[in-house]
Amino acid sequence: NTYVHFRNDHVIVSEMDVRVISLASELARKEMTHLIGNLPKPILIENLTAILDKLHLFLQKGVQSNLELTEDELLNAITENQITPFYQPKVDSKTNKVSSIEVLARIIRPQDLNPIPPSAFIPVAEKYDLINLLTFQLFEKSTADHSRLVQTLDHDFKTAINLSSIQLRDLDCPNKLGTILDIYDMKPAQVILEITEEYALDSPEQLETLNRLRMRGFGLSLDDFGTGFTNLNQLRTLPFTEIKIDRSLISGIHNDPFSQTIVNALVDLSKKQNIDLVAEGIELFEELEFLQNYDRNILMQGYLISKPKP
Ligand code: C2E
Ligand code: MG
Ligand code: MG
């Protein structure tokens, strides 16, 4: 209950057993506070540095870039057909095959040197009700690219599209996605919908849409696991087919007992529930090596394997 009083990010400094710490983290999650990690005593400089690096990662997420498009600029980019899919693969740790490819939105305009990242326009799209237009443009382009990419890889793979949790409030969302798939002759089973929970996923409409999407055959992926509101217990009832472990739990995992405890639990749970498990944001060979040691197919994603590409 002491957690109720903390509303900031925090760290557990303790010499306790990892199980005690993981229970504490579960409690912290229930109280919706944010736990960055734990520091074993006596405190070593390298552990403290690792924790501060993680804090930096979270703050980056919150602050993001200062550049944001205006409503008019975004509307213009949509009508000019400038919403562009970038692709990043998820590779099976045991077979080394590309199991799915995530579509990440960019805006490419002739007047800019670099593609505009999603942090500059996704929040704007959500605010001004342009997120469906944007998603459908992206979805159309990536389904059209699908067959060409299949030829390049020489085997089939799934396309993973990001949805904002507000899009789930629209009960007609499954029909709209289904219509685009029909045009390109694709099946929902070839598509994974990645959903980040900026807010708890608990409204009746959101849960109903999740269920309808699942019943149609779409794969459902819980993105950024470890930063949102979902706890291990809820995974039992939500119809997810994939969990993506957030980069904050993957970065430095090879020497972080806290992240290891959580990932161990996720490996067990996902095996029992037959849910796919993805490790996001792998940048170091040591992280990859650590994850490959699990007796379980984990899907690997991150700059080490491939950066997102046009
Ligand atoms: P996400 O879905 O969790 O995507 C992962 C983000 O991490 C991507 O950033 C990707 O480029 C980046 N990333 C991948 N591997 C690494 C790595 O090894 N190291 C580091 N440092 N970063 C890595 P990006 O493309 O800027 O996208 C950020 C977020 O924007 C996405 O997070 C997703 O939540 C959102 N987003 C992107 N496209 C869409 C979209 O079409 N619709 C919606 N609703 N959201 C989108
Ligand atoms: Mg994603
Ligand atoms: Mg993610």
Side-chain angles (χ1 to χ4, degrees):
N1 280 345
T2 45
Y3 289 109
V4 176
H5 305 295
F6 295 101
R7 281 289 170 243
N8 297 322
D9 298 330
H10 59 277
V11 173
I12 297 178
V13 182
S14 158
E15 42 199 6
M16 289 290 163
D17 187 299
V18 282
R19 281 167 305 171
V20 175
I21 294 165
S22 75
L23 178 60
S25 77
E26 197 50 28
L27 288 172
R29 204 189 291 288
K30 280 214 174 89
E31 299 298 339
M32 295 181 184
T33 62
H34 195 250
L35 199 61
I36 299 163
N38 77 304
L39 267 180
K41 283 181 182 172
I43 296 175
L44 301 176
I45 285 293
E46 59 257 41
N47 291 344
L48 182 60
T49 313
I51 287 283
L52 290 176
D53 284 348
K54 282 201 168 177
L55 178 61
H56 191 68
L57 253 176
F58 281 117
L59 292 179
Q60 269 181 340
K61 256 201 150 166
V63 178
Q64 291 185 333
S65 96
N66 42 14
L67 166 115
E68 261 205 1
L69 296 192
T70 64
E71 181 187 4
D72 279 349
E73 284 174 318
L74 177 59
L75 193 56
N76 205 46
I78 295 172
T79 48
E80 296 289 326
N81 208 24
Q82 290 164 342
I83 312 294
T84 309
F86 269 46
Y87 297 104
Q88 191 185 34
K90 307 178 198 172
V91 176
D92 189 302
S93 61
K94 299 285 184 252
T95 65
N96 281 336
K97 278 201 166 172
V98 173
S99 134
S100 58
I101 297 187
E102 179 172 9
V103 178
L104 294 157
R106 303 285 184 266
I107 289 178
I108 297 187
R109 305 185 298 189
Q111 69 264 38
D112 301 317
L113 272 179
N114 296 310
I116 303 175
S119 54
F121 58 86
I122 296 292
V124 184
E126 289 175 348
K127 186 169 165 195
Y128 295 105
D129 206 15
L130 296 170
I131 190 75
N132 270 343
L133 281 179
L134 183 152
T135 304
F136 296 147
Q137 186 168 129
L138 214 52
F139 198 41
E140 250 183 87
K141 290 182 181 176
S142 54
T143 42
D145 281 341
H146 180 95
S147 52
R148 263 190 303 149
L149 281 168
V150 167
Q151 276 175 8
T152 311
L153 285 175
D154 218 18
H155 64 80
D156 205 4
F157 62 86
K158 293 180 184 178
T159 297
I161 284 267
N162 290 284
L163 287 189
S164 297
S165 54
I166 51 165
Q167 289 173 284
L168 298 177
R169 292 197 201 135
D170 173 11
L171 290 178
D172 206 31
C173 167
N175 286 333
K176 291 175 182 161
L177 293 175
T179 307
I180 300 177
L181 284 182
D182 286 344
I183 298 173
Y184 293 96
D185 205 20
M186 279 179 71
K187 302 270 170 295
Q190 290 173 285
V191 177
I192 300 171
L193 303 169
E194 296 193 6
I195 295 140
T196 313
E197 23 150 39
E198 301 105 299
Y199 316 98
L201 281 175
D202 54 9
S203 82
E205 293 84 15
Q206 285 176 323
L207 297 179
E208 166 117 32
T209 306
L210 274 182
N211 257 338
R212 285 190 190 182
L213 288 167
R214 187 66 204 115
M215 284 182 322
R216 268 183 182 253
F218 286 99
L220 295 179
S221 176
L222 182 59
D223 209 341
D224 302 341
F225 186 86
T227 63
F229 297 113
T230 309
N231 62 37
L232 289 178
N233 223 9
Q234 278 170 294
L235 286 176
R236 229 194 289 253
T237 50
L238 295 169
F240 286 103
T241 55
E242 178 180 277
I243 300 169
K244 298 187 76 173
I245 311 168
D246 190 67
R247 178 157 66 99
S248 54
L249 287 168
I250 298 302
S251 101
I253 187 164
H254 50 289
N255 45 35
D256 183 339
F258 177 80
S259 299
Q260 288 171 10
T261 309
I262 295 177
V263 173
N264 290 347
L266 285 171
V267 166
D268 277 351
L269 179 138
S270 65
K271 213 190 265 178
K272 282 188 195 121
Q273 304 270 323
N274 201 16
I275 296 174
D276 290 334
L277 198 59
V278 182
E280 285 193 284
I282 301 174
E283 292 183 353
L284 301 178
F285 183 70
E286 289 85 346
E287 294 157 1
L288 181 75
E289 207 177 34
F290 179 88
L291 293 164
Q292 273 173 332
N293 276 332
Y294 280 105
D295 178 26
R296 165 109 176 85
N297 301 54
I298 299 179
L299 302 177
M300 307 288 181
Q301 197 179 21
Y303 291 170
L304 183 72
I305 292 116
S306 169
K307 288 202 166 179
K309 292 176 182 171

